């Protein structure tokens, strides 16, 4: 494993960081204040991303993407993690699940998503089915060649800007050692489909401007041509997607933590109390030592997980470890940064309180910390028959 950046990777890191600093940072305070990203601003960010040649950089070259490997794309996500998610969402990264599109679906969904002509969102979570995905109640019943869908999804990220949604819906049931579980099918659903509604979700303390939405299906009729992949095989597609999103969360947390550290370190060196910099006191200097150690550890865990994917090695446990550690690390680092600043750390004059609030959700979405610990421990114990 060699994490030394190639010349190309360093150029990518520098370019994306420069983009975030010049195109994202200047708008963050206004988005934080209003909880809104104007449509024109989102379009402007997306266009500038296209001009740089980074739009859909996570997608293969064969469909028009940049074809970055997992490790390099993780570096991109790490740099994007420094900025407001409500704004960086327009730095287009279509869902890799769309690679499961058939030829007809590629022309309607995949290619327009790669070109930035359409935005997608992905919907799995329900009010009564969060970590227990196969307990979902949103159900599709066959009706001739069509499917009739009823139910609700919630906490669906950035569905407010989506032209279509990739939705996981129960289409059957099977007996398992733990009782009946739903069979899941993945559907592609266009905004404006009769019986399908996208509504504003809940007000959140985390990631202002990055909206969560509620999706409602009321006798919504979908053709069989809307199925992505195979009937009852949606969970297989979902597992592949979760690999990518969990690494993204980990990388985002590392990038955000490094930005937080960039506030804490110079302040500790410059702020004086009792005639000397507060960083000269072990009560502060040891915090800095712990912070950078944890940031680096999370960084290497994340890059190692991405490297395993590039080598086509099993990576389920490693990805879970990266997501778990990086998300919990970010909470600790932001909290310690505020402690170093004291009362000023909680004032709106600085973004630290925002980073602190944003950090909280990272331990919940894309698999809670408890789910990650379950994945890790199961991976360790199963080979021993436990």
């Amino acid at each position: 494993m060699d994490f030394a950046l190639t010349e190309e990777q360093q150029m990518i890191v520098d370019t994306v960081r420069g983009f975030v600093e010049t195109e994202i940072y200047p708008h963050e305070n206004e988005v934080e204040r209003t909880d809104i990203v104007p449509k024109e601003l989102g379009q402007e960010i997306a266009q500038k991303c296209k001009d740089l040649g980074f739009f859909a950089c996570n997608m293969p070259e064969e469909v028009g993407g940049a074809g970055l490997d997992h490790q390099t794309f993780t570096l991109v996500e790490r740099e994007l993690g420094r900025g407001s998610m409500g704004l960086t969402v327009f730095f287009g990264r279509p869902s890799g699940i769309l690679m499961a599109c058939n030829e007809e679906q590629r022309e309607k969904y995949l290619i327009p998503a790669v070109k930035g002509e359409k935005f997608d969102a992905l919907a799995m979570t329900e009010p009564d089915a969060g970590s227990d995905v196969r307990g979902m109640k949103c159900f599709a019943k066959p009706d001739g060649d069509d499917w009739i869908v009823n139910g609700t999804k919630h906490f669906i990220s950035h569905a407010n800007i989506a032209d279509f949604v990739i939705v996981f819906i129960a289409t059957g049931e099977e007996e398992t050692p733990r009782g009946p579980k739903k069979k899941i099918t993945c559907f592609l659903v266009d905004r404006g489909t009769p019986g399908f509604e996208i509504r504003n979700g809940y007000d959140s303390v985390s990631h202002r401007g990055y909206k969560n939405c509620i999706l409602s299906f009321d006798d919504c009729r979908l053709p069989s041509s809307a199925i992505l992949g195979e009937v009852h095989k949606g969970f297989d597609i979902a597992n592949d997607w979760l690999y990518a999103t969990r690494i993204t969360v980990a990388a985002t947390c590392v990038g955000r933590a490094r930005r937080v550290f960039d506030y804490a370190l110079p302040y500790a060196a410059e702020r004086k109390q009792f005639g000397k910099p507060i960083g000269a006191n072990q009560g502060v200097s040891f915090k800095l030592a712990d912070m950078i150690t944890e940031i680096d550890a999370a960084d290497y865990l994340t890059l190692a997980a991405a490297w395993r994917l590039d080598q086509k090695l099993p990576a389920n446990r490693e990805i879970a470890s990266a997501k778990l550690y990086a998300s919990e690390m970010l909470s600790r680092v932001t909290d310690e940064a505020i402690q170093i600043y004291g009362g000023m750390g909680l004032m709106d004059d600085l973004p630290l309180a925002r980073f602190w609030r944003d950090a909280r959700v990272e331990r919940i979405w894309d698999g809670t910390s408890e789910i990650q610990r379950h994945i890790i421990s199961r991976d360790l114990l199963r080979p021993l028959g436990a």
Side-chain angles (χ1 to χ4, degrees):
M1 244 181 278
D2 181 5
F3 295 149
L5 300 190
T6 65
E7 185 176 335
E8 180 184 8
Q9 286 175 326
Q10 187 61 60
M11 180 194 70
I12 288 172
V13 167
D14 293 342
T15 301
V16 178
R17 183 176 299 184
F19 183 92
V20 172
E21 290 176 349
T22 58
E23 305 298 338
I24 302 299
Y25 285 4
H27 303 289
E28 288 183 334
N29 288 340
E30 186 65 11
V31 170
E32 180 69 11
R33 186 183 68 81
T34 63
D35 196 23
I36 294 172
V37 177
K39 183 178 179 180
E40 298 76 15
L41 176 58
Q43 292 173 338
E44 180 184 332
I45 292 171
Q47 185 58 53
K48 289 180 177 178
C49 177
K50 293 175 193 175
D51 294 342
L52 280 175
F54 276 94
F55 201 94
C57 62
N58 60 315
M59 303 301 277
E61 290 180 304
E62 66 192 70
V63 297
L68 298 184
D69 57 39
H70 288 97
Q71 208 168 354
T72 306
F73 182 60
T74 296
L75 295 171
V76 171
E77 291 287 13
R78 189 181 70 186
E79 296 309 314
L80 292 175
R82 291 173 172 267
S84 164
M85 193 171 287
L87 295 162
T88 59
V89 68
F90 294 97
F91 195 99
R93 291 94 81 206
S95 175
I97 290 179
L98 292 173
M99 289 303 297
C101 286
N102 59 34
E103 287 304 315
E104 180 181 343
Q105 292 167 339
R106 284 190 169 211
E107 294 304 315
K108 186 175 181 180
Y109 298 105
L110 173 60
I111 302 305
V114 170
K115 290 181 177 179
E117 297 168 356
K118 290 184 177 181
F119 270 91
D120 64 282
L122 198 142
M124 184 179 293
T125 303
E126 298 180 7
D128 294 318
S131 296
D132 182 16
V133 175
R134 294 186 69 186
M136 66 176 58
K137 296 178 181 178
C138 187
F139 204 91
K141 294 183 178 180
D143 183 39
D145 290 333
D146 296 338
W147 297 79
I148 307 300
V149 184
N150 284 282
T152 302
K153 300 286 182 183
H154 78 163
F155 293 156
I156 309 308
S157 297
H158 63 81
N160 59 304
I161 64 170
D163 298 287
F164 68 95
V165 184
I166 305 162
V167 189
F168 292 86
I169 301 171
T171 49
E173 195 169 80
E174 62 183 344
E175 287 298 326
T176 73
R178 296 186 178 182
K181 292 290 184 182
K182 301 294 178 21
K183 295 179 179 179
I184 310 299
T185 302
C186 186
F187 290 83
L188 298 167
V189 186
D190 293 312
R191 176 185 289 274
T193 298
F196 172 54
E197 182 183 9
I198 301 175
R199 307 197 311 271
N200 291 333
Y202 315 97
D203 293 333
S204 174
V205 302
S206 297
H207 297 299
R208 299 270 167 82
Y210 186 74
K211 299 297 185 178
N212 69 84
C213 297
I214 298 170
L215 312 185
S216 297
F217 296 87
D218 184 10
D219 287 335
C220 177
R221 181 177 292 272
L222 299 177
S224 292
S225 60
I227 293 174
L228 181 63
E230 300 178 38
V231 175
H232 304 327
K233 298 294 185 181
F235 212 61
D236 296 338
I237 299 175
N239 283 334
D240 292 339
W241 163 70
L242 286 170
Y243 281 163
T245 60
R246 286 170 180 168
I247 288 183
T248 291
V249 171
T252 295
C253 289
V254 171
R256 182 61 58 91
R258 291 205 183 278
R259 184 177 177 189
V260 170
F261 190 78
D262 288 345
Y263 276 89
L265 181 60
Y267 185 80
E270 296 165 6
R271 168 73 166 167
K272 290 186 178 181
Q273 291 287 279
F274 305 105
K276 62 180 180 180
I278 60 174
N281 299 304
Q282 288 183 349
V284 173
S285 64
F286 282 12
K287 290 183 189 300
L288 295 170
D290 288 342
M291 290 162 72
I292 197 61
T293 299
E294 290 201 59
I295 293 169
D296 286 345
D299 206 354
Y300 293 137
L301 268 176
T302 304
L303 290 172
W307 178 86
R308 289 185 68 86
L309 285 181
D310 284 330
Q311 304 304 312
K312 303 192 183 311
L313 295 171
N316 198 25
R317 174 171 62 83
E318 289 79 6
I319 291 170
S321 293
K323 198 274 183 184
L324 169 66
Y325 188 78
S327 61
E328 296 195 347
M329 171 277 297
L330 179 59
S331 287
R332 291 189 292 268
V333 166
T334 53
D335 190 75
E336 291 288 42
I338 288 173
Q339 195 69 18
I340 290 171
Y341 268 84
M344 279 305 299
L346 292 170
M347 301 299 110
D348 286 341
D349 300 68
L350 296 166
L352 294 177
R354 165 162 60 90
F355 299 155
W356 184 48
R357 285 187 283 101
D358 289 351
R360 188 59 186 87
V361 75
E362 308 296 347
R363 290 145 57 192
I364 296 173
W365 59 14
D366 294 290
T368 63
S369 289
E370 290 74 20
I371 287 295
Q372 305 312 314
R373 287 184 167 92
H374 171 69
I375 292 170
I376 296 163
S377 59
R378 183 181 59 186
D379 188 82
L380 295 171
L381 291 167
R382 272 188 175 175
L384 304 179

